[in-house]
Amino acid sequence: MNVTQKILSAHLVSGEMIPGSEIAIHIDQTLTQDSTGTMAYLQFEAMGIPRVKTEKSIAYIDHNTLQTGFENADDHKYIATVTRKHGVYLSKPGNGICHQVQLERIGKPGKTLLGSDSHTPTGGALGMIAIGAGGLDVAVAMGGGEYYLNCPSVVNVHLTGELQRGVAAKDVILELLRKLSVKGGVGKVMEYTGPGVKTLSIPERATITNMGAELGATTSVFPSDEVTEAFLRAQGRGEDFIPLCADEDAVYEETVEINLSELIPMVALPHMPDNVKTVEEAGQIKVDQVCIGSCTNSSYLDMMRVAAILKGKTVHPDVSLVIAPGSRQVLSMLSANGALHDMIEAGARICETACGFCIGMGQSPSTNAVSVRTNNRNFFGRSGTKSAGIYLVSCETAAATALTGVLTDPRGVEADLNVAMPETFLYNDNLIIPPASEEEAADLEVVRGPNIKPFPQANALEESLSGKVLLKMEDNITTDHIMPSDSSLLPFRSNIPKLSEHCLTPVDPAFPARAKAAGGGFLLAGANYGQGSSREHAALVPLYLKIRGVLAKSFARIHRANLINNGILPLEFANEADYDRFDQADEIALENIRQLIRDGAETIPVTNVTRGFTVTMNLSLTPRQRRMILAGGLINMTRQG
Ligand code: MIC
Ligand code: SF4
């Protein structure tokens, strides 16, 4: 078996390990963060389970840390009190970005982790199966319920050679994105093998597994080897180590070869992570802002390399350099060893250890700016400045660029980039608050501020559905299009009515008003609809606007599951060319849809009433998903028993 099969089969609750067929797995650990967590805990409360049943569940506060009003702070208070009551650990704001802290302090080889954040696969660096999901799926897992997924096919990413000076783990994943695209990993686990693996440290592996999310992959995983053991020991967690690697005769569905020695610095140009060129090909683009941090690139190793490049130099006069270390542990070590001093002296603006600029929580660039960043997503508008272009690079490229003011290949910089992994990290868990005991929990009050509104719930599916196509969209529409998230909107993650005023506005500002006036309808989309974030809001808000179904060429994995969990039909064109035969404002009808779904139909006739024809659309639902759609979502189905 390969590593993926070993972990999945050890956690298998039902189904067979045949790629594409539905399996259910037991979840050992869960994580939430604050922008999806509020909703996940509201849903957990609605399920009426008093205490979580996982080995460890933890809630991080790392996204909504810009507190320009009471809303974010109220959400934090709700999360702090609801987790304390129900048996969940709390990582306080200031402790760091969920994926970085999970890697340092919580993740364990061989375990399963489900997180309400699409970059949960970061944990795969430690040899665990770590999957991103919607908040509702995470709430179910916290309650001890299994997690359902399509058994992935496993891709062998075979690494040989060794990264050259100035070339980074980020360049490995950017190269994979260039080769495979943002759809290349859908339905797959990217499993890393080969002699190149042992040359990569855990933070470097984490950069690669983190950004596997941008390939659309279910997750990514490395073996657990002596490098893993050394990392866990240095974190004071040697006892969490178990060795785990693929059998000699392990079988994979596909193989991708990467020779690390041949890679050179890469950059993803606006506005897609797979729009990748070499830094050389991109040319000397003039840069206004450089942002270093995010869950992709904010480890101790990353920050030490940045400090080495900046040491004794000054940031270019036209550049604003922003650095956000990934965790309190990283920041603390940088301050103890003087590297922080080197950054500050070079002119860096140090931000708190949080998602920050990556999710548009501050540091929006100027009009038409070129912003070079180390994060994983450069979707349109995500930085908070629509006219700005975001370029994704490694920490080394970002730091070199900050000094020259133009996009710069870091292989030529004068600096000592040989940063050794520490024998011991400065670990300290005093910002991770344990939950109350069961006895204490009974009397604890959960504090709910005025911004926390009830979440919408679907009704049971009607016999037939009809309505207008309210919006026609192209390929690769992201969750940042469907439910934009910047500093002005993130405070409303627990207020769906307010968010609904912004649904799909990056595609068409008139959409929310049109949807409300029509009393609901359908969406029409191209391929890979809903890629990006795990945010369930991208389904809850359309549900609130009475969207009954999405007609698309194809869907991204997490968003499709979120639609079904909330009773919205994900219909795929059997013949992609039929997409062109539909237009915005066309009236469509799905006759006897309830009966068809009940009977297990895998194809659905969809009539374009306006133009007078009927096409076939695929609706490949598992029996469980059919029950969910018929009941009007997961919560209704659970209530029905
Ligand atoms: C993101 O990177 O887009 C986020 C913000 O972390 C999201 C979660 C969210 O939308 O709250 C994700 O990746 O799932
Ligand atoms: Fe936070 Fe950005 Fe990572 Fe999402 S991608 S978890 S916003 S740092």
Side-chain angles (χ1 to χ4, degrees):
M1 286 198 274
N2 52 48
V3 170
T4 310
Q5 289 165 335
K6 285 185 185 183
I7 303 176
L8 286 180
S9 59
H11 289 81
L12 196 66
V13 179
S14 66
E16 277 181 75
M17 299 266 297
I18 303 165
S21 73
E22 189 181 57
I23 55 171
I25 56 168
H26 175 75
I27 295 298
D28 301 318
Q29 302 185 339
T30 64
L31 73 75
T32 58
Q33 37 86 343
D34 51 330
S35 67
T36 55
T38 312
M39 202 49 77
Y41 293 107
L42 286 170
Q43 291 163 332
F44 180 78
E45 287 189 296
M47 286 164 23
I49 297 170
R51 215 165 165 86
V52 295
K53 296 185 180 147
T54 48
E55 283 176 22
K56 190 147 207 172
S57 286
I58 177 158
Y60 292 91
I61 309 260
D62 55 357
H63 279 63
N64 294 350
T65 55
L66 201 62
Q67 293 159 222
T68 49
F70 63 90
E71 293 89 354
N72 287 336
D74 276 9
D75 282 2
H76 298 175
K77 202 164 234 172
Y78 167 70
I79 292 173
T81 53
V82 79
T83 52
R84 202 165 155 67
K85 189 172 177 72
H86 293 289
V88 179
Y89 287 75
L90 174 78
S91 173
K92 287 179 68 181
N95 200 37
I97 305 174
C98 52
H99 309 303
Q100 178 64 27
V101 178
Q102 187 81 10
L103 196 74
E104 293 166 354
R105 307 303 310 146
I106 315 279
K108 290 185 190 178
K111 298 286 182 187
T112 52
L113 163 70
L114 195 70
S116 65
D117 190 280
S118 65
H119 292 102
T120 303
T122 313
L126 289 175
M128 63 193 305
I129 291 291
I131 303 179
L136 192 46
D137 281 327
V138 177
V140 168
M142 285 195 280
E146 51 273 36
Y147 175 61
Y148 290 82
L149 73 160
N150 282 344
C151 181
S153 61
V154 186
V155 181
N156 177 4
V157 188
H158 188 250
L159 304 178
T160 51
E162 195 166 354
L163 291 172
Q164 301 299 297
R165 184 185 175 281
V167 185
K170 182 67 156 279
D171 300 312
V172 178
I173 190 67
L174 287 173
E175 168 64 7
L176 273 168
L177 277 154
R178 189 187 68 78
K179 274 192 164 139
L180 306 177
S181 90
V182 289
K183 302 192 278 288
V186 176
K188 300 174 184 173
V189 172
M190 313 304 286
E191 182 169 320
Y192 291 83
T193 68
V197 164
K198 67 173 186 314
T199 69
L200 297 171
S201 65
I202 295 300
E204 288 173 316
R205 295 178 190 186
T207 295
I208 296 172
T209 52
N210 172 284
M211 217 172 157
E214 277 51 63
L215 292 166
T218 304
T219 190
S220 303
V221 68
F222 274 83
S224 170
D225 58 10
E226 61 278 14
V227 177
T228 322
E229 185 174 15
F231 176 83
L232 288 172
R233 271 194 206 296
Q235 289 286 352
R237 301 205 287 128
E239 70 285 359
D240 289 344
F241 174 73
I242 56 157
L244 194 58
C245 64
D247 295 332
E248 291 267 316
D249 57 352
V251 179
Y252 294 89
E253 267 82 27
E254 274 171 70
T255 299
V256 180
E257 292 285 346
I258 302 256
N259 182 347
L260 300 173
S261 309
E262 284 173 3
L263 292 181
I264 56 172
M266 313 289 274
V267 52
L269 308 178
H271 296 286
M272 260 318 132
D274 62 358
N275 192 8
V276 174
K277 284 191 175 165
T278 65
V279 170
E280 263 171 2
E281 279 164 6
Q284 296 204 330
I285 301 166
K286 178 136 176 56
V287 169
D288 304 283
Q289 183 191 47
V290 174
C291 298
I292 301 179
S294 91
C295 58
T296 321
N297 274 123
S298 59
S299 65
Y300 172 78
L301 189 73
D302 279 330
M303 293 293 147
M304 288 304 291
R305 287 184 178 149
V306 169
I309 294 173
L310 296 179
K311 189 179 168 78
K313 303 181 188 125
T314 299
V315 171
H316 189 276
D318 297 340
V319 173
S320 169
L321 170 64
V322 175
I323 301 181
S327 68
R328 195 270 304 266
Q329 179 183 102
V330 173
L331 180 58
S332 186
M333 289 176 74
L334 299 177
S335 73
N337 71 11
L340 188 62
H341 174 80
D342 296 335
M343 292 172 167
I344 295 170
E345 282 303 301
R349 302 166 66 182
I350 308 295
C351 292
E352 76 171 312
T353 61
C355 297
F357 60 78
C358 177
I359 186 60
M361 272 290 184
Q363 302 297 340
S364 296
S366 56
T367 304
N368 298 327
V370 169
S371 177
V372 170
R373 298 180 168 209
T374 64
N375 35 287
N376 44 37
R377 293 189 171 142
N378 57 351
F379 299 149
F380 173 72
R382 185 174 158 103
S383 67
T385 304
K386 288 200 175 67
S387 65
I390 308 298
Y391 294 68
L392 306 177
V393 298
S394 70
C395 281
E396 290 82 335
T397 303
T401 298
L403 296 176
T404 58
V406 291
L407 187 66
T408 299
D409 186 327
R411 287 174 297 171
V413 295
E414 279 177 30
D416 180 7
L417 297 178
N418 278 323
V419 177
M421 285 298 284
E423 298 262 311
T424 315
F425 288 94
L426 289 182
Y427 51 85
N428 179 354
D429 289 334
N430 63 345
L431 293 186
I432 299 183
I433 312 300
S437 67
E438 273 188 79
E439 301 79 70
E440 282 170 0
D443 301 327
L444 284 182
E445 190 207 340
V446 175
V447 182
R448 279 165 236 275
N451 188 41
I452 297 181
K453 302 275 187 271
F455 58 90
Q457 289 192 46
N459 298 319
L461 184 67
E462 288 107 307
E463 292 305 330
S464 297
L465 292 176
S466 61
K468 277 198 164 62
V469 170
L470 294 169
L471 187 63
K472 182 166 182 175
M473 295 168 273
E474 53 201 37
D475 288 352
N476 290 323
I477 290 294
T478 73
T479 46
D480 279 293
H481 291 99
I482 307 170
M483 196 53 260
S485 271
D486 57 15
S487 60
S488 64
L489 292 181
L490 273 161
F492 299 102
R493 281 297 181 92
S494 46
N495 187 341
I496 300 293
K498 170 83 182 172
L499 285 185
S500 74
E501 294 160 22
H502 301 268
C503 181
L504 282 163
T505 49
V507 183
D508 179 357
F511 171 75
R514 187 160 63 243
K516 275 190 188 143
F522 293 84
L523 297 173
L524 178 60
N528 201 23
Y529 179 70
Q531 69 159 322
S533 156
S534 67
R535 65 188 71 138
E536 203 167 19
H537 306 76
L540 283 167
V541 169
L543 171 66
Y544 179 81
L545 292 172
K546 301 199 168 57
I547 299 300
R548 310 313 312 274
V550 183
L551 284 54
K553 289 183 185 169
S554 65
F555 293 88
R557 178 184 67 87
I558 306 179
H559 185 60
R560 183 175 187 276
N562 285 340
L563 289 174
I564 299 170
N565 281 350
N566 288 290
I568 300 176
L569 289 169
L571 294 151
E572 285 179 347
F573 288 98
N575 174 5
E576 282 200 2
D578 284 339
Y579 163 89
D580 298 321
R581 303 172 70 194
F582 286 77
D583 251 320
Q584 198 159 304
D586 286 359
E587 179 79 21
I588 63 166
L590 283 71
E591 295 295 341
N592 296 324
I593 182 74
R594 189 174 175 88
Q595 187 64 39
L596 286 166
I597 293 179
R598 202 185 295 132
D599 293 347
E602 302 226 318
T603 54
I604 304 288
V606 176
T607 304
N608 186 326
V609 181
T610 309
R611 291 169 206 277
F613 62 82
T614 299
V615 301
T616 301
M617 300 207 66
N618 294 331
L619 186 63
S620 47
L621 299 175
T622 65
R624 176 175 169 272
Q625 290 174 329
R626 284 178 197 284
R627 279 191 283 125
M628 218 185 293
I629 290 279
L630 291 173
L634 179 54
I635 292 192
N636 286 341
M637 181 178 85
T638 317
R639 286 207 184 114
Q640 288 173 5

